[in-house]
């Protein structure tokens, strides 16, 4: 999810931990087995003898003299654990990988940080992060499987709202939390609303209820998906175009993102990294309808650190060269995302809002509107500081909430994220990966075979 450059260059939504919930799945129950009990006949008394004689259980005999076979209870067959994903995805990631989740792409540090790969102290620190890595890898594997399904199933002619629902329903099935009961979405699920941004819209558009927008063959669509497990958010995006006219635009942005991922690392200065991204991006151009457009980096949209339960942390990765001398540090989690455009390279707010998030640093306000008080309680209990959209409120049964929601926004308690748009007629593209700056290696946690 794109981070818009804040005015003071230090946007912090803060982190809020929820309870750690064990990610176990119920196993098949064992069938109780019992031995065949012997039957005993009644006692017989003899007038002259006080001894009681126990007679052995008799076996019923057919007329032909053959013994009847006793019916033995059959043990119920154990259900086989699925080993492959369904289409659409529905099998829990924890079932597909019961022992250990797949790693992302591990990249060794270079130059003065090369020692980290084999340093015993750094290895020890890395081993202390087992829960952190397990949660991130589970979320990342769910992301890979859902997006790979989405990339092959999304076609022109589909409604955006159906595409969004399909992606989000798949995510919830794979992490095992449908988000319908109170607090369930805080354990695992969507890390933010699915972005489906068409053409000049670069970021923060997700269809609201009743949206009838249909994907066209001529559209360039950015698909931005966030998945979290215990507040560890994987943020990764890709762009789809069905007309090869836009291939050079997509190639420029993918190359720029890969440059950012490759050059990122401990002690790297953010402003310098932005310069490398810009140099790559702006070495491309794209011809559309006989006109050649230079590809520009969108200046107002940045990569960012990710904190627990907070998609936008305190550090920003610019898409252009700046004087920011802030360094990347051990333990940082970054979303490296770049946006390219055939337009001006600047975006502005336009259109109906769908994305919202509770601010952890919200002021204490005496809310007089009853609906706002009630909605705030619902948001805290169901989403915490994880971004949500109006469709998420709809699916948990909230009604007539817009007045209260707008009141919370005006009070500074909830932040809204309007769609970010370049000039009309332009085309924008986005690619993004999440990286973990572990003590020993850089792990591109969201890397997959697709990108």
């Amino acid at each position: 999810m794109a981070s818009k450059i804040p005015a003071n260059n230090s946007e912090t939504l803060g982190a809020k931990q929820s309870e750690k919930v064990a990610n176990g799945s119920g196993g098949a129950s064992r069938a109780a087995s019992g031995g065949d009990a012997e039957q005993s006949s009644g006692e017989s008394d003899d007038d002259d003898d006080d001894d009681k004689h126990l007679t052995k259980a008799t076996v019923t005999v057919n007329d032909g003299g053959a013994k009847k076979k006793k019916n033995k209870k059959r043990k119920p067959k154990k259900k086989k654990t699925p080993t492959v994903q369904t289409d659409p995805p529905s099998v829990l990631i924890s079932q597909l990988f019961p022992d250990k989740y797949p790693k992302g792409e591990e990249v060794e540090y270079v130059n003065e940080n090369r020692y980290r790969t084999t340093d015993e102290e750094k290895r020890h620190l890395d081993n202390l992060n087992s829960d952190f890595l397990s949660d991130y890898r589970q979320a990342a594997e769910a992301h890979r499987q859902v997006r790979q399904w989405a990339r092959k199933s999304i076609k022109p002619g589909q409604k955006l709202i159906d595409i969004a629902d399909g992606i989000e329903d798949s995510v919830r099935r794979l992490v095992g939390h449908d988000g319908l009961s109170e607090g369930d979405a805080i354990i695992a699920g969507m890390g933010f609303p699915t972005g489906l941004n068409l053409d000049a819209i670069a970021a923060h558009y997700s269809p609201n209820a009743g949206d009838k927008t249909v994907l066209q063959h001529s559209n360039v669509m950015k698909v931005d998906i966030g998945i979290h497990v215990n507040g560890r958010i994987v943020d990764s995006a890709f762009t789809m175009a069905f007309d090869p006219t836009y291939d050079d635009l997509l190639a420029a942005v993918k190359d720029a993102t890969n440059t950012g991922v490759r050059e990122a690392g401990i002690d790297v200065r953010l402003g310098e990294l932005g310069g490398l991204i810009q140099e790559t991006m702006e070495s491309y151009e794209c011809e559309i309808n006989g006109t050649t457009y230079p590809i520009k980096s969108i200046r107002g949209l940045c990569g960012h650190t990710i904190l627990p339960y907070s998609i936008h942390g305190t550090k920003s990765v610019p898409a252009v060269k700046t004087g920011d001398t802030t360094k990347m540090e051990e333990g940082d989690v970054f979303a490296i995302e770049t946006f390219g455009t055939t337009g001006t390279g600047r975006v502005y707010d336009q259109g109906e809002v769908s994305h919202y998030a509770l601010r952890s640093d919200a002021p204490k306000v005496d809310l007089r509107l009853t609906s706002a008080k009630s909605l705030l309680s619902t948001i805290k209990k169901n989403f915490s500081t994880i971004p949500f959209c109006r469709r998420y409120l709809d699916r948990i049964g909230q009604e007539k909430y817009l007045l209260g929601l707008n009141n919370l926004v005006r009070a500074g308690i909830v932040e809204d994220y309007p769609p970010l748009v370049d000039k009309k007629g332009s085309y924008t593209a986005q690619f993004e990966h999440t990286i973990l700056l572990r003590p020993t290696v850089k792990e591109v946690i969201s890397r997959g075979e697709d990108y």
Side-chain angles (χ1 to χ4, degrees):
M1 179 173 163
S3 173
K4 190 177 180 183
I5 295 180
N8 61 2
N9 202 27
S10 84
E11 175 182 1
T12 310
L13 291 184
K16 179 176 179 182
Q17 293 286 6
S18 78
E19 327 175 352
K20 189 79 172 173
V21 178
N23 291 327
S25 57
S29 59
R30 295 181 180 176
S33 58
D36 296 333
E38 289 188 346
Q39 301 173 358
S40 57
S41 66
E43 298 173 355
S44 61
D45 297 328
D46 190 283
D47 292 338
D48 300 323
D49 193 351
D50 292 328
D51 294 336
K52 294 178 181 178
H53 302 282
L54 182 66
T55 57
K56 291 182 178 179
T58 57
V59 179
T60 306
V61 185
N62 290 331
D63 293 341
K67 291 182 181 179
K68 250 187 186 178
K69 290 184 179 178
K70 292 187 178 181
N71 291 327
K72 292 185 179 179
K73 290 183 179 179
R74 292 184 179 179
K75 292 183 179 179
K77 292 182 179 179
K78 290 184 178 179
K79 292 183 179 179
K80 292 184 178 179
T81 302
T83 57
V84 294
Q85 191 54 267
T86 58
D87 184 1
S90 63
V91 180
L92 288 167
I93 297 299
S94 59
Q95 287 186 0
L96 293 176
F97 302 95
D99 300 321
K100 189 180 291 186
Y101 300 114
K103 296 179 180 180
E105 178 191 22
E106 292 185 330
V107 183
E108 293 184 0
Y109 293 118
V110 297
N111 302 327
E112 64 271 15
N113 282 309
R114 186 182 295 276
Y115 78 96
R116 291 174 170 274
T117 305
T118 56
D119 185 81
E120 286 302 320
E121 181 183 353
K122 297 302 181 185
R123 284 177 176 270
H124 175 68
L125 289 172
D126 214 13
N127 291 334
L128 295 177
N129 288 331
S130 58
D131 289 344
F132 168 86
L133 290 174
S134 179
D135 289 343
Y136 255 113
R137 288 169 179 166
Q138 183 184 6
E141 184 58 31
H143 200 292
R144 278 187 287 271
Q145 295 197 18
V146 170
R147 78 182 188 230
Q148 287 171 14
W149 168 76
R151 284 166 71 87
K152 70 179 182 181
S153 64
I154 293 174
K155 299 285 189 297
Q158 295 175 331
K159 288 184 179 180
L160 295 195
I161 196 164
D162 293 336
I163 295 171
D165 286 342
I167 289 171
E168 292 167 354
D169 288 345
S170 295
V171 168
R172 297 182 182 110
R173 287 192 296 264
L174 266 56
V175 298
H177 293 273
D178 62 16
L180 293 175
S181 60
E182 188 175 283
D184 193 50
I186 296 176
I187 300 169
M190 296 306 300
F192 53 80
T194 300
L196 298 176
N197 305 288
L198 300 181
D199 302 337
I201 304 172
H204 299 169
Y205 181 90
S206 193
N208 289 320
D211 191 312
K212 297 180 180 179
T213 306
V214 175
L215 180 64
Q216 305 295 327
H217 185 271
S218 59
N219 287 144
V220 176
M221 183 168 72
K222 284 69 66 186
V223 183
D224 196 357
I225 305 171
I227 302 176
H228 88 93
V229 173
N230 293 312
R232 275 74 183 244
I233 305 172
V234 171
D235 184 0
S236 186
F238 59 91
T239 300
M240 302 185 72
F242 306 95
D243 186 335
T245 297
Y246 310 106
D247 285 355
D248 288 337
L249 170 62
L250 272 61
V253 182
K254 183 185 288 187
D255 194 3
T257 295
N258 283 332
T259 296
V261 170
R262 183 181 66 249
E263 300 298 331
I266 294 171
D267 296 331
V268 171
R269 297 186 187 278
L270 298 176
E272 294 175 0
L273 182 58
L276 297 172
I277 290 170
Q278 181 180 17
E279 182 180 0
T280 301
M281 179 83 75
E282 298 184 355
S283 66
Y284 285 80
E285 53 188 24
C286 180
E287 183 178 333
I288 302 174
N289 297 327
T291 302
T292 300
Y293 297 89
I295 307 302
K296 300 176 183 177
S297 287
I298 297 181
R299 293 174 174 269
L301 296 177
C302 299
H304 48 89
T305 46
I306 301 173
L307 301 174
Y309 290 99
S310 181
I311 186 60
H312 294 152
T314 58
K315 299 178 183 178
S316 296
V317 182
V320 295
K321 184 174 178 59
T322 71
D324 188 353
T325 58
T326 304
K327 289 184 177 181
M328 292 180 157
E329 297 173 281
E330 178 183 308
D332 280 344
V333 178
F334 274 95
I336 304 294
E337 62 181 326
T338 70
F339 294 81
T341 179
T342 61
T344 64
R346 299 183 184 278
V347 291
Y348 55 94
D349 297 347
Q350 184 185 75
E352 186 177 63
V353 178
S354 59
H355 289 47
Y356 300 86
L358 176 67
R359 297 181 63 99
S360 63
D361 60 348
K364 290 185 179 180
V365 178
D366 183 18
L367 296 170
R368 297 183 179 182
L369 196 63
T370 303
S371 61
K373 290 181 182 178
S374 174
L375 182 61
L376 178 58
S377 176
T378 297
I379 291 169
K380 287 179 176 179
K381 292 175 181 177
N382 287 277
F383 308 114
S384 183
T385 50
I386 294 174
F388 62 93
C389 65
R390 285 157 57 176
R391 283 184 295 107
Y392 296 2
L393 293 173
D394 297 335
R395 73 188 298 272
I396 59 173
Q398 293 295 301
E399 297 178 344
K400 299 179 180 179
Y401 52 77
L402 269 181
L403 180 63
L405 184 57
N406 289 333
N407 185 260
L408 293 175
V409 171
R410 286 193 297 271
I413 297 170
V414 167
E415 185 167 0
D416 62 349
Y417 297 88
L420 296 169
V421 185
D422 200 343
K423 74 172 186 179
K424 186 176 180 180
S426 64
Y427 294 91
T428 61
Q430 172 196 20
F431 280 90
E432 178 179 22
H433 274 303
T434 297
I435 64 172
L436 314 180
L437 298 183
R438 290 166 45 195
T440 55
V441 292
K442 172 176 61 182
E443 184 170 351
V444 189
I445 194 71
S446 56
R447 181 75 80 189
E449 294 180 358
D450 49 347
Y451 68 91

